[in-house]
Amino acid sequence: MLAVLSWVIGKAVGRRFIRFQSQIRSDFNELEKTKNQLQYLALHDDLTDLPNRLFLIDFIEQKIKQSLLTDTSLAIMFVDIDDFKKVNDAFGHSTGDELLKVVAKRFESLLDQNSIVARFGGDEFVFCFSGLASAIEAEHKGMAVYDAFHDTFAIKGKSIASSCSVGVALFPQDAKHAEDLISKADTALYTSKARQKGGVLFYDESINQQVQYELTLEEELRGAMERDELYMLYQPQIHLETGKLVSVEALIRWNNAT
């Protein structure tokens, strides 16, 4: 009788243990799934589903290490949609969001196993093309990005024409680290848009010199009044037929040592 009772209790305990084990496995799988989802959200943009800045920087640093081993080049391309604000103003922000999604899909079609595109923020995207053999190859990649805007975008029954500006920085000649490469590509983009929207511009030392000059100019000008460097001159305007003074133009001159 005792043996039978022990057997029944043992079977009951065994069944309960199996149920608990199954529940624990189910809970663990659910936790693992939730962890993976949170990890994905932490590294991807919630609108376009593209990698975000954190993912991008880690990818670039990995590809820099590979480039050093394979003696290849790497191109960072900072892309900005021209006049994107006009799309939001004319059609609404929801249409602007849809445009960003379609642009992201077109950009993804340009990728291979050695490249990535991330949404950097707003209407800005950043590409990383690695394993490049030459600057010519980087130029072809840049033109492919620019040409992604050749066809109009069909958004909510509307045909929207747009273009982009692209700034490019190359590893190893322009910078050695991900953040510096992105910064210099951004500088090239800023310079490109200042000259003329819609184009591809590679970073070079002349761009850096111009940016540094503008920063220095702005910094010096901020303190010009405090240092009493500004003074006024009056330039007479003479009537050529009569020779008489008809007006005076007031001019501010800047006497700056730099």
Side-chain angles (χ1 to χ4, degrees), residues 134-147:
S134 65
I136 298 297
E137 192 174 353
E139 289 180 15
H140 292 160
K141 297 288 188 183
M143 288 310 302
V145 172
Y146 179 75
D147 288 341

Side-chain angles (χ1 to χ4, degrees), residues 4-23:
V4 172
L5 182 60
S6 298
W7 180 80
V8 170
I9 293 173
K11 292 289 286 183
V13 170
R15 285 195 298 270
R16 177 165 294 187
F17 176 77
I18 291 172
R19 286 199 302 272
F20 283 153
Q21 191 177 45
S22 177
Q23 184 64 45

Side-chain angles (χ1 to χ4, degrees), residues 55-234:
F55 194 126
L56 171 71
I57 291 174
D58 183 65
F59 181 90
I60 294 172
E61 293 292 357
Q62 291 180 31
K63 292 303 179 182
I64 285 175
K65 293 177 183 178
Q66 291 182 16
S67 294
L68 292 171
L69 294 174
T70 57
D71 194 27
T72 55
S73 184
L74 181 150
I76 302 300
M77 301 190 182
F78 209 115
V79 186
D80 177 85
I81 301 176
D82 297 328
D83 298 320
F84 180 71
K85 185 178 185 302
K86 291 182 180 179
V87 175
N88 283 334
D89 291 344
F91 305 111
H93 287 269
S94 62
T95 298
D97 286 347
E98 290 301 317
L99 176 60
L100 291 173
K101 291 179 184 179
V102 177
V103 167
K105 293 299 181 185
R106 286 195 187 179
F107 281 169
E108 284 185 307
S109 69
L110 305 175
L111 303 178
D112 57 25
Q113 69 275 13
N114 292 317
S115 56
I116 192 176
V117 60
R119 185 183 178 206
F120 207 70
D123 61 328
E124 297 174 336
F125 298 83
V126 176
F127 282 86
C128 172
F129 293 104
S130 66
L132 303 180
S134 65
I136 298 297
E137 192 174 353
E139 289 180 15
H140 292 160
K141 297 288 188 183
M143 288 310 302
V145 172
Y146 179 75
D147 288 341
F149 285 77
H150 181 269
D151 296 328
T152 58
F153 298 88
I155 309 291
K156 295 185 175 181
K158 306 176 184 69
S159 181
I160 299 176
S162 187
S163 63
C164 71
S165 299
V166 185
V168 187
L170 298 177
F171 171 88
Q173 52 264 56
D174 293 329
K176 307 296 184 185
H177 302 287
E179 293 278 9
D180 294 336
L181 284 164
I182 293 171
S183 177
K184 292 192 174 182
D186 188 17
T187 299
L189 170 66
Y190 166 81
T191 305
S192 175
K193 292 181 77 73
R195 293 177 182 177
Q196 182 179 357
K197 292 179 180 178
V200 181
L201 182 64
F202 279 69
Y203 179 88
D204 61 27
E205 190 55 33
S206 66
I207 292 176
N208 181 53
Q209 290 174 358
Q210 180 63 28
V211 170
Q212 292 302 319
Y213 171 76
E214 291 174 359
L215 289 173
T216 301
L217 184 67
E218 182 177 339
E219 183 178 352
E220 289 293 313
L221 190 55
R222 288 181 186 276
M225 291 188 67
E226 294 177 0
R227 295 189 297 268
D228 198 26
E229 294 178 346
L230 302 177
Y231 61 97
M232 183 176 289
L233 291 178
Y234 297 97

